[in-house]
Amino acid sequence: DILHTNKVSQNLHAELLLRRVGAVGGAGSVADGQARVTAILTAAGVGPAGYDFADGSGMSNYNRITPRAAVRLLRWAAVQPWGAAWRATLPVGGQDGTLARRFANTPLAGKLFAKTGTLNAANALSGYLIAASGRTLTFSALANDMPQDASATRAVDRALLAIAAAH
């Protein structure tokens, strides 16, 4: 379920996943799912000022996360026993999922693993990239109020390519 949710980026699957998470030690309600998500964020060291979630679809108009909070969560996830399995669920630049066409024929093809998000003039990309040095970098780029967000996408992609080349 997580593989499909991350690769295809379908909000309905994300909503159902929130309820499924809520069923672990709860009744499977949105509130139970939110409690579990809050517990995970707390364990990752993300304080409540870093996020505000109303539902399970990440790019909902009612959900907020700071880039710093997203990076902290991703770095925490990377060192968990399940971290490699988590990263494998993310779309790969130039290869599959919502990033199949993005980063194709660039130095980040096959070296960028990230979750996309697009909704109502908002655009997000957060995950991991392998820089020219071989180091794995964690990033989060969030753009809001960008009409026809294609310009934000191009700017984010150029910035990540420059960062990868410089590191």
Side-chain angles (χ1 to χ4, degrees):
D1 290 347
I2 294 170
L3 178 71
H4 185 77
T5 299
N6 282 345
K7 295 281 187 183
V8 176
S9 195
Q10 216 302 330
N11 284 345
L12 176 60
H13 291 104
E15 282 293 332
L16 294 173
L17 186 57
L18 178 69
R19 287 162 177 78
R20 188 167 178 189
V21 167
V24 177
S29 67
V30 169
D32 290 336
Q34 288 172 324
R36 296 283 299 167
V37 168
T38 297
I40 290 167
L41 289 166
T42 300
V46 178
Y51 66 93
D52 185 23
F53 296 133
D55 57 39
S57 59
M59 289 296 287
S60 163
N61 290 330
Y62 304 105
N63 293 330
R64 302 282 185 270
I65 190 166
T66 66
R68 186 178 308 254
V71 165
R72 181 165 284 174
L73 176 63
L74 288 167
R75 284 183 177 161
W76 175 81
V79 298
Q80 299 307 305
W82 42 264
W86 159 253
R87 190 171 108 168
T89 70
L90 298 173
V92 180
Q95 291 187 358
D96 67 11
T98 54
L99 293 176
R101 291 187 195 100
R102 281 175 77 177
F103 302 101
N105 303 313
T106 75
L108 285 177
K111 294 182 178 181
L112 184 133
F113 314 86
K115 180 68 185 81
T116 59
T118 306
L119 182 72
N120 298 338
N123 187 281
L125 186 64
S126 299
Y128 313 94
L129 65 82
I130 301 171
S133 67
R135 285 180 55 206
T136 298
L137 305 178
T138 309
F139 69 91
S140 180
L142 310 176
N144 198 8
D145 292 327
M146 299 292 296
Q148 300 162 340
D149 66 356
S151 62
T153 299
R154 286 190 303 273
V156 166
D157 292 0
R158 283 192 309 267
L160 290 173
L161 285 162
I163 290 167
H167 291 86

